[in-house]
Amino acid sequence: MNAILPIEAQDRPARLTVGVVGAGRVGPALAASLQLAGHRPVAVSGVSDASVRRAAALLPEVPLVPPSEVMARADLVLLTVPDDALAGLVAGLAETGAVRPGQLLVHTSGRYGTAVLDPATRAGALPLALHPAMTFTGTPVDVQRLAGCSFGITSPEELRMAAEALVIEMGGEPEWIAEEARPLYHAALAIGANHLVTLVAQAMELLRTAGVGAPDRMLGPLLGAALDNALRSGDAALTGPVARGDAGTVAAHVAELRRHAPQSVAGYLAMARTTADRALAHGLLKPELAEDLLGVLADTAPPGRPGGTTAPGDARPEGTHPGPDTPASAPEDGPEDGPDPGASRDDSPDQSPKGDEDPKGDDPR
């Protein structure tokens, strides 16, 4: 059997010049990863001081130019801007004649597939949606994190192999997402990553209030084990007072939260109801215990409301309950870069082809 020899980056076919429109947290990292695979970053656009610093750190010696110049120089252009700016940016690039036939246009939004690129596609561009399911920091560590990272990819069927090849070259794992499934896919990542950050931050605040000096050290092993068990076993990994049906303990939790952290009550109740639904549906919560538990969750009213009444979204009408797979509320949209907890936008590009990326995951970009 002949040994398969590794191919040096410079010897691989179809090396591309790469440009970045929007030097937020994601674009420079992806361009730097493509550079390691043998492609050549040639131009980047960015508006804010933070974007300029990121581009300098991750893409040294790559010139900072206007978006129209990025489009003119690159075979493959990464459009890494906020979700809400993407459609306007694409329309502006197409209207100004910046799009070249045969040019690969890649956006990294989790929410959108390739339809958002239609104006550029009509101008001859080749559309790809490559969304890394990873949180980004805007530092060189992001390039390392792409190894083994799943990418949600959407493209025309004839470009699917090209999309998968680009992801593999960056060290990622391509996962095909149908155009119509992109919003649901992104909502799932927001629940799993963005909302997780909220829960963890809230838990640390409560532990500090309870007198714990190092809540991060206390939570680390517990959360690591819980996440590992959940990924391995799903709902079978549920533990705790809700899964056991300990109505008295749950009532005590709610009472203490009302006293010390009333802003946490709504989230606790929503998660407890959803956890009870799933535990009951999977046979972990005994029906005879579920009745008392659900009664506690339904009868607990925030201060200022009559007992047993709740605001919309706090509880269902009496006698009804959501299915085990229906969360109390679903996020409308996560960060454009995917599950990137804590990311903030550098710039908000207008309808013309200029601006910066949403520095992500969320954004899971």
Side-chain angles (χ1 to χ4, degrees):
M1 177 182 291
N2 295 329
I4 299 177
L5 299 177
I7 302 175
E8 296 297 329
Q10 63 269 20
D11 296 330
R12 295 174 185 153
R15 299 299 86 191
L16 302 168
T17 54
V18 177
V20 179
V21 176
R25 299 187 183 188
V26 177
L30 297 188
S33 183
L34 288 169
Q35 185 175 36
L36 291 176
H39 300 287
R40 185 165 61 92
V42 293
V44 59
S45 72
V47 175
S48 70
D49 291 341
S51 293
V52 173
R53 289 194 299 269
R54 272 192 292 269
L58 288 165
L59 301 171
E61 301 181 6
V62 175
L64 200 68
V65 299
S68 59
E69 187 65 22
V70 175
M71 298 293 293
R73 296 186 185 190
D75 302 318
L76 183 157
V77 179
L78 300 169
L79 303 179
T80 47
V81 299
D83 282 355
D84 290 346
L86 182 59
L89 173 66
V90 173
L93 292 171
E95 290 168 4
T96 58
V99 178
R100 294 185 284 112
Q103 190 171 44
L104 284 165
L105 277 192
V106 178
H107 79 71
T108 56
S109 167
R111 172 185 173 187
Y112 293 114
T114 57
V116 72
L117 299 175
D118 279 351
T121 303
R122 289 191 291 269
L126 305 178
L128 303 176
L130 307 181
H131 174 249
M134 177 55 63
T135 180
F136 288 79
T137 64
T139 66
V141 71
D142 295 334
V143 179
Q144 302 169 25
R145 286 180 173 175
L146 290 175
C149 167
S150 291
F151 281 66
I153 66 171
T154 304
S155 73
E157 185 59 36
E158 61 270 21
L159 295 176
R160 181 167 176 171
M161 289 184 65
E164 292 177 347
L166 287 171
V167 169
I168 291 169
E169 284 193 317
M170 289 186 283
E173 296 288 340
E175 187 71 37
W176 181 259
I177 307 294
E179 179 83 26
E180 64 275 12
R182 293 289 290 206
L184 179 61
Y185 152 79
H186 200 217
L189 294 179
I191 291 172
N194 304 130
H195 297 179
L196 175 63
V197 173
T198 301
L199 291 174
V200 173
Q202 193 171 72
M204 289 198 294
E205 288 177 355
L206 294 172
L207 286 172
R208 289 190 191 97
T209 302
V212 175
D216 53 341
R217 187 169 64 233
M218 176 174 284
L219 284 173
L222 174 63
L223 294 178
L227 178 59
D228 183 65
N229 291 341
L231 292 174
R232 291 173 182 271
S233 305
D235 289 295
L238 278 172
T239 62
V242 172
R244 292 192 299 266
D246 291 344
T249 299
V250 172
H253 287 178
V254 175
E256 286 300 295
L257 289 174
R258 290 209 189 286
R259 182 183 310 168
H260 297 288
Q263 72 279 4
S264 301
V265 173
Y268 181 95
L269 291 175
M271 290 302 300
R273 292 186 192 110
T274 302
T275 300
D277 287 336
R278 299 189 71 90
L280 185 62
H282 289 81
L284 303 172
L285 175 60
K286 296 178 181 179
E288 60 270 22
L289 297 177
E291 184 175 356
D292 288 343
L293 174 65
L294 296 177
V296 167
L297 296 174
D299 292 339
T300 307
R305 295 183 192 154
T309 64
T310 54
D314 281 351
R316 295 344 185 255
E318 184 177 356
T320 67
H321 215 59
D325 292 317
T326 305
S329 62
E332 294 180 2
D333 183 34
E336 174 261 338
D337 52 9
D340 178 11
S344 60
R345 295 179 181 175
D346 283 347
D347 304 280
S348 298
D350 57 24
Q351 297 299 309
S352 62
K354 63 183 180 181
D356 265 358
E357 165 193 358
D358 178 1
K360 320 296 180 189
D362 327 88
D363 176 89
R365 311 201 39 111

